[in-house]
């Protein structure tokens, strides 16, 4: 995000005042938390950057009700430390991509929700991060405070603006406070690693594990080895009470033997592996390379992966049972074109998740929306940010 100076209000009233002044001056704002993902999507050209990093702190935590509210600038490690004391967790397992983006600051809760970023548990009981949001407070481009949802699990108050704002990348409103529902943290976990002969066999192994009744909460495929594995490896995380895991993992291990040799990773090794998967570290993306995310049907992942590896020197990581394909490679328009073609052929979508500014300015960072959907989006944008002040061009449209 390119900005001449930064505003960092200490409270919600300060955010309202900053937006009101920007509206009076007709001066766009680049919205961020810790600005850790400035290298994602389209660069925002704005006179000022408005950061919510000073709007930090947990405002409500009810462990018995499994509900937490925090200001948007609260760093992810602060929230995780608060929950650890009661063996609870954020269900969507949101990732910390500070290493991927080469920054020293952790992500904020507002940034995670605005991006709707979810980790490996997305395919299980966790769901997407937007599905865990019970309520929000936000400031629109009209300099108005809006509130949606509440602080209880069963809530039907007003329009569901929570899901609208989650994933909007700060283009519709500036989140100031968020309420999330929580889950108990599993007592124990382990991972089954299957050496597979091909990507297709790996995706089939993941599907078999996910279709079992044994509490699989993560399913990824490491096509080029990595993490000490010699070749393509399908990994399935199991989480449960400690007393149940040995039996359940033994039964599932036997069922998966048809796909290849199965090894067991105990808790410490399992947690290390899934943290590397969550943060996309296994891509080993160099600072000057581009990183893409493809969302598609798991059954289409092997063909798309093969197409990409033939097109350029692509390094891949498949998560969500094959439904999320991470790609790292040269930051060139030709490589980006190959990603777009692979996503289209698979009937999926792509995101230019990280790249140098020249590439992000030259190519589409997201697929074009169908005309009817784009028209609806334009009306929503006009209602919430009529002057186009908030993160203009961030999503490439």
């Amino acid at each position: 995000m390119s900005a001449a100076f930064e505003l960092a209000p200490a409270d919600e009233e300060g955010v309202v005042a900053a937006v009101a002044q920007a509206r009076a001056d007709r001066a766009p704002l680049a919205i961020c938390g810790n600005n850790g993902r400035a290298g994602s999507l389209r660069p925002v050209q704005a006179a000022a950057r408005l950061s919510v990093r000073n709007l930090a702190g947990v405002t409500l935590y009810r462990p018995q009700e499994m509900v937490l509210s925090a200001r948007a600038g609260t760093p992810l490690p602060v929230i995780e430390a608060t929950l650890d004391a009661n063996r609870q967790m954020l269900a969507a397992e949101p990732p910390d991509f500070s290493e991927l983006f080469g920054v020293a600051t952790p992500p904020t809760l507002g940034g995670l929700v605005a991006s709707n970023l979810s980790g490996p548990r997305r395919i299980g009981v966790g769901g997407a991060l937007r599905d865990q949001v019970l309520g929000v407070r936000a400031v629109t481009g009209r300099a108005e405070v809006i509130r949606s949802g509440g602080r209880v699990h069963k809530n039907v108050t007003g329009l569901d603006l929570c899901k609208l704002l989650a994933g909007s990348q700060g283009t519709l409103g500036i989140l100031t406070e968020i309420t999330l529902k929580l889950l108990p943290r599993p007592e124990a976990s382990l991972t089954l690693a299957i050496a597979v002969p091909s990507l297709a066999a790996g995706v089939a192994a993941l599907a078999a594990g996910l279709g079992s009744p044994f509490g699989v909460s993560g399913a990824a495929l490491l096509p080029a080895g990595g993490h000490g594995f010699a070749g393509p490896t399908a990994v399935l995380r199991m989480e449960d009470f400690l007393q149940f895991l040995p039996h359940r993992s033994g039964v599932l291990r036997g069922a998966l033997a048809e796909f290849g040799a199965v090894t067991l990773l105990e808790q410490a090794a399992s947690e290390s592996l899934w943290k590397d998967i969550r943060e996309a570290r296994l891509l080993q993306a160099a600072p000057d390379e581009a990183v893409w995310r493809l969302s598609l049907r798991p059954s289409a992942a092997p063909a798309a992966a093969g197409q990409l590896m033939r097109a350029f020197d692509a390094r891949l990581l498949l998560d969500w049972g094959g439904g999320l394909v991470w790609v790292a490679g040269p930051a060139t328009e030709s490589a980006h074109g190959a990603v777009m073609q692979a996503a289209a052929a698979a009937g999926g979508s792509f995101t230019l998740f990280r790249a140098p500014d020249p590439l992000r300015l030259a190519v589409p960072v997201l697929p074009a929306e169908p005309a009817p959907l784009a028209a609806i989006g334009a009306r929503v944008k006009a209602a919430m940010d009529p002057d186009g002040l908030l993160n203009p061009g961030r999503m490439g449209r």
Side-chain angles (χ1 to χ4, degrees):
M1 297 182 183
S2 176
F5 63 96
E6 182 180 87
L7 306 169
D11 52 31
E12 187 177 75
E13 290 75 15
V15 175
V16 171
V19 175
Q21 186 62 55
R23 194 176 190 196
D25 296 341
R26 297 188 176 276
L29 294 169
I31 312 303
C32 70
N34 279 331
N35 202 34
R37 291 195 309 107
S40 186
L41 299 176
R42 185 66 55 81
V44 175
Q45 304 298 322
R49 181 167 62 233
L50 195 159
S51 169
V52 299
R53 67 172 185 273
N54 289 332
L55 277 70
V58 174
T59 57
L60 173 84
Y61 180 33
R62 295 175 180 164
Q64 297 85 355
E65 299 175 21
M66 290 191 289
V67 171
L68 176 140
S69 298
R71 296 185 180 92
T74 308
L76 176 61
V78 171
I79 294 174
E80 291 178 331
T82 302
L83 301 181
D84 280 346
N86 290 285
R87 294 199 59 81
Q88 293 180 342
M89 65 180 184
L90 297 177
E93 199 176 3
D96 177 349
F97 289 125
S98 54
E99 185 175 323
L100 184 67
F101 284 93
V103 297
T105 53
T108 60
L109 178 60
L112 291 167
V113 173
S115 304
N116 191 34
L117 288 174
S118 307
R121 202 173 275 110
R122 166 72 172 81
I123 57 170
V125 295
L129 184 56
R130 63 159 49 97
D131 297 326
Q132 315 307 320
V133 178
L134 295 173
V136 298
R137 290 179 65 92
V139 178
T140 70
R142 296 178 180 270
E144 298 171 343
V145 176
I146 59 172
R147 181 174 62 186
S148 179
R151 289 178 163 180
V152 294
H153 282 255
K154 293 184 179 180
N155 193 298
V156 292
T157 303
L159 297 173
D160 191 2
L161 297 179
C162 301
K163 289 185 172 58
L164 179 66
L165 291 170
S168 65
Q169 302 288 344
T171 62
L172 298 178
I174 304 167
L175 293 166
T176 57
E177 187 180 50
I178 298 141
T179 299
L180 299 165
K181 58 183 176 181
L182 311 171
L183 280 183
R185 184 177 299 282
E187 185 178 59
S189 67
L190 53 78
T191 294
L192 298 179
I194 308 104
V196 292
S198 66
L199 299 186
V203 170
L206 298 181
L210 289 169
S212 76
F214 298 123
V216 172
S217 65
L221 180 58
L222 322 179
H227 211 82
F229 299 115
T233 305
V235 291
L236 292 159
R237 179 176 59 187
M238 302 181 68
E239 297 178 312
D240 210 324
F241 292 104
L242 181 60
Q243 61 182 323
F244 298 138
L245 271 183
H247 171 71
R248 293 187 174 189
S249 63
V251 175
L252 184 56
R253 185 173 185 173
L256 296 173
E258 65 176 286
F259 296 101
V262 184
T263 57
L264 177 67
L265 301 182
E266 299 290 354
Q267 183 141 349
S270 175
E271 290 177 352
S272 174
L273 169 64
W274 286 98
K275 186 173 183 179
D276 286 348
I277 293 171
R278 184 184 73 170
E279 318 301 351
R281 292 174 181 165
L282 299 181
L283 285 174
Q284 297 182 333
D288 60 344
E289 288 186 308
V291 175
W292 297 267
R293 284 164 50 113
L294 278 67
S295 179
L296 37 74
R297 301 186 319 276
S299 60
Q307 184 176 342
L308 289 169
M309 289 188 288
R310 290 189 296 272
F312 60 93
D313 183 20
R315 297 187 306 286
L316 306 173
L317 169 65
L318 281 62
D319 199 358
W320 300 354
L324 172 64
V325 180
W326 285 98
V327 186
T332 63
E333 292 190 37
S334 61
H336 183 75
V339 170
M340 293 176 62
Q341 291 173 7
S349 64
F350 70 89
T351 301
L352 181 54
F353 194 69
R354 189 201 79 178
D357 284 0
L359 182 62
R360 296 192 294 135
L361 288 167
V363 300
V365 295
L366 293 166
E369 291 181 328
L373 186 59
I376 293 173
R379 291 199 296 271
V380 172
K381 177 69 172 175
M384 300 190 70
D385 181 23
D387 301 314
L389 299 177
L390 307 181
N391 275 352
R394 172 76 166 157
M395 302 174 77
R397 44 182 181 263

